[in-house]
Amino acid sequence: MELRPYIDALRHELALAAAAGGEDARELAERLTAPLESATRLALLDALSEAAAEITRDLAPGSVDLRLRNREPSFVVTPPPADPWTDAVPPPDPVPAPPPAPGEDEATVRISLRLPEPLKNRIEQAAARSGVSINTWLIRAASAAAADGDQRPPATVTATSGGQRFTGWVR
């Protein structure tokens, strides 16, 4: 969601009102524009935050979060689970992450990862059950998978049946 159009509309309305008051009013309106822009942005963000909290109360156990990136707000919706009975089963104990290999904790890098929506939702739920952020959960899962892969190479399976060939790996 972009706030700029709302702030520009306010600036325009203020300029129109000031034009009716003469040159002194127009100059005053120009001086007030910058402080009013900041106050307007804060008021809009406050209203959006209140709306997200109210929607979250109605959507529970789902949620709506308001996030601010590059000074622009966006909503992140976590829908409630489809089947309420699936949450009744306690989650399995989380697998502890292996300790970082030498040099792994020195620097971080950013990657872009595109996931199908159902998988993203399952990852968010798993992270919530573990009580960690999605980023932490993904790092632990990747570390565990990499450590598991280091211990034994995947077995290659090739099957032919009726002219079809299947190649892959199994554990």
Side-chain angles (χ1 to χ4, degrees):
M1 167 177 238
E2 197 172 325
L3 294 180
R4 175 60 48 202
Y6 300 99
I7 294 171
D8 288 344
L10 177 67
R11 182 180 289 188
H12 177 72
E13 292 297 322
L14 182 60
L16 285 177
E23 186 63 25
D24 289 339
R26 189 183 58 73
E27 288 176 11
L28 178 61
E30 286 178 6
R31 286 195 310 263
L32 290 175
T33 299
L36 280 177
E37 183 174 335
S38 297
T40 302
R41 182 175 289 278
L42 284 173
L44 287 172
L45 289 173
D46 200 28
L48 291 172
S49 179
E50 289 270 338
E54 186 174 322
I55 293 168
T56 296
R57 282 191 296 272
D58 292 342
L59 191 61
S63 66
V64 176
D65 293 314
L66 178 67
R67 294 191 182 160
L68 190 63
R69 291 205 175 140
N70 297 326
R71 299 185 59 178
E72 295 300 331
S74 64
F75 290 103
V76 178
V77 178
T78 306
D83 183 5
W85 294 104
T86 58
D87 288 344
V89 178
D93 292 334
V95 177
E104 278 188 17
D105 59 351
E106 293 175 5
T108 60
V109 295
R110 184 177 295 267
I111 64 168
S112 182
L113 175 65
R114 302 204 185 280
L115 300 170
E117 186 72 26
L119 177 59
K120 177 189 162 277
N121 292 337
R122 290 189 356 235
I123 290 171
E124 287 174 340
Q125 291 171 357
R129 281 192 305 268
S130 298
V132 296
S133 69
I134 295 168
N135 191 57
T136 300
W137 190 91
L138 285 170
I139 289 171
R140 288 180 181 175
S143 296
D148 188 36
D150 290 342
Q151 292 175 359
R152 61 174 189 254
T156 301
V157 176
T158 303
T160 57
S161 172
Q164 294 179 349
R165 180 177 172 173
F166 302 98
T167 303
W169 59 272
V170 297
R171 289 186 183 191

